[in-house]
Every structure is written in C-alpha cells, then in structure tokens.
Amino acid sequence: MSAFRVSVVAVNPKNEDVVTEPISALVDTGSELTWLPRGELTAAGITPRRTRTFITASGERLQREVGYAIVRAEGYETTDEVVFGEKGDQLLLGVRTLEGFAVTVDPIGHRLVAQATLACGAARQPEPTGTGP
C-alpha cells in the first residue's frame, strides 16, 4: 500500500466563513483522528475542548488537545474531532474523518473514492395490509 497526501481545510463550526489555509495531510487509515497544526486551528478560531491520550506506532504515549471542526478535502466534508498537532507531529487525515466523508481509499490511484453508507441497523417495516379491526 502506498501513502499519499491530500489538501485539507478545517472550518470553524461556529463561523463557517473562517477557514484554515489548505494543509497537506497524509491519508492514514491507521490513525483514528485527523491531526492538523495547532497554529492553523487556533488562527481559524477552533478551540480545544479536551485532552486525549494517544499511543504512537512506536508505543510512545502522548497527550494532545482535541476540538471540533468541519473538515474538507477533495470535495468531501464532515464534522469531526481534530487533534491540535504540535511541532514534530505528522499531519494526518484519519479514519473517522474518512468514514464521515463516506469514502474508501484507493492506494493505487492515490485518491478518495465515494461509497454508499452502510445502514446496518435499518429494517424495513411491513406494508400495512389495509384491513381494519
């Protein structure tokens, strides 16, 4: 599987006129959340809401703040938690954002591909028979 990057913007959910500059992020189906630079998020008025603990691929534990943003990339959009990345952190487009976009990853074509959203819990209701009591 080959890695590729996409251009991502984060939108302030309280004021959609405030948007980050485009950010090059690695598409990473191994990362739960999307990681974007703290400075860009803060400049767009996106605020941290809580701190989460993460375990890196090397086993290192670290804490980062997360907040809410509207995330856009490649013509797709969703609302998600984003990690306020610190200096040295990899900028990532995580799997929750990809799922919110309703896309799969084409690692050969280096692109995001739209897919139908699964409705596992949906059940059809029987049609009424039209007979009375």
Side-chain angles (χ1 to χ4, degrees), residues 8-90:
V8 177
V9 296
V11 181
N12 184 323
K14 294 180 182 178
N15 180 355
E16 294 186 34
D17 292 330
V18 183
V19 179
T20 65
E21 292 295 321
I23 300 161
S24 178
L26 180 68
V27 176
D28 186 358
T29 59
S31 177
E32 178 184 353
L33 297 182
T34 293
W35 292 58
L36 299 174
R38 170 180 290 284
E40 295 281 341
L41 295 173
T42 302
I46 299 166
T47 56
R49 303 290 295 188
R50 64 184 175 128
T51 300
R52 288 185 63 172
T53 301
F54 297 91
I55 300 176
T56 67
S58 65
E60 178 186 1
R61 296 176 69 89
L62 49 96
Q63 292 191 334
R64 295 290 184 269
E65 292 182 310
V66 296
Y68 305 118
I70 299 168
V71 182
R72 295 180 182 152
E74 304 292 312
Y76 300 100
E77 177 179 287
T78 193
T79 302
D80 202 358
E81 282 184 294
V82 293
V83 179
F84 284 70
E86 301 293 344
K87 185 176 180 178
D89 289 346
Q90 182 69 255

